[in-house]
Amino acid sequence: MDIPKNGYEQATISLAPLETDMTLEEFLESDLEGYEYAKGKLIPMAPPTMEHGEISMSLSLLLGVHIRENKLGRLYPADTDFKLGDRLVKPDIAFVTTARLPENKRQASPVAPDLAVEVVSPTDIQYRVIEKAFAYLNAGTRLVWVIEPIAKTVTVYRSQTDIKTLTLEDTLTGEDIVEGFSCQVSQLFE
């Protein structure tokens, strides 16, 4: 029996998508936790590392204060479900403007977030991260930030052709989505 040499190899094996005959509606009604749903597949979510949590919290605090003080909408944590067509995703951080907030908040959000943030985990596959960023955009998300802890960068997606990578010396802004918000990229990694 081959035993993986480290936890990351095991995590990579166990984080492979699982084919299912479950529909999105059945998935929504199930009590399955730790998965996202995409096109008939269950996508296991890696448990967040301390680094992942620190980055998410740093950005959540900065964004949250700005959004609340300016009454721009609502900020949601990683355990909040968003329906993107035939997908159900849990962004690490999501922002929905006041004008787009759904009336029924006791279910998965039927609207895509205006801003979706993904913090890359050690077991994430780059292909899937980019595919997910594009899925957000295709569903109507206007701004996606992908935070890469190793490179200490933030890749900003506005469309499939408008993509910019920011480094520690750059300023991350909410552009016209989270109006007035800005912070140094370096603040996310302190």
Side-chain angles (χ1 to χ4, degrees), residues 78-128:
D79 56 352
T80 307
D81 294 331
F82 285 84
K83 286 175 69 176
L84 307 179
D86 60 354
R87 298 174 80 111
L88 184 80
V89 297
K90 298 173 185 284
D92 291 314
I93 302 170
F95 166 69
V96 179
T97 60
T98 302
R100 295 187 63 246
L101 286 170
E103 286 187 34
N104 184 355
K105 296 181 185 174
R106 295 181 180 248
Q107 63 182 12
S109 176
V111 300
D114 291 284
L115 165 67
V117 180
E118 293 291 338
V119 179
V120 177
S121 297
T123 56
D124 279 335
I125 297 167
Q126 184 180 15
Y127 173 87
R128 271 200 250 158

Side-chain angles (χ1 to χ4, degrees), residues 32-157:
L32 280 175
E33 291 188 24
Y35 292 93
E36 291 182 332
Y37 180 93
K39 302 175 185 178
K41 294 181 183 175
L42 297 176
I43 311 296
M45 297 177 63
T49 62
M50 289 180 70
E51 177 181 56
H52 186 281
E54 289 173 5
I55 293 167
S56 293
M57 283 303 298
S58 292
L59 182 56
S60 291
L61 290 169
L62 294 167
L63 266 175
V65 167
H66 179 80
I67 289 166
R68 184 169 288 267
E69 286 178 352
N70 293 284
K71 298 180 170 106
L72 299 175
R74 295 289 183 187
L75 196 64
Y76 296 94
D79 56 352
T80 307
D81 294 331
F82 285 84
K83 286 175 69 176
L84 307 179
D86 60 354
R87 298 174 80 111
L88 184 80
V89 297
K90 298 173 185 284
D92 291 314
I93 302 170
F95 166 69
V96 179
T97 60
T98 302
R100 295 187 63 246
L101 286 170
E103 286 187 34
N104 184 355
K105 296 181 185 174
R106 295 181 180 248
Q107 63 182 12
S109 176
V111 300
D114 291 284
L115 165 67
V117 180
E118 293 291 338
V119 179
V120 177
S121 297
T123 56
D124 279 335
I125 297 167
Q126 184 180 15
Y127 173 87
R128 271 200 250 158
V129 172
I130 294 169
E131 178 186 49
K132 191 173 182 182
F134 287 173
Y136 284 120
L137 295 170
N138 292 334
T141 298
R142 299 183 294 154
L143 188 61
V144 179
W145 295 340
V146 175
I147 301 173
E148 213 310 312
I150 299 297
K152 293 185 175 17
T153 60
V154 179
T155 302
V156 178
Y157 293 82

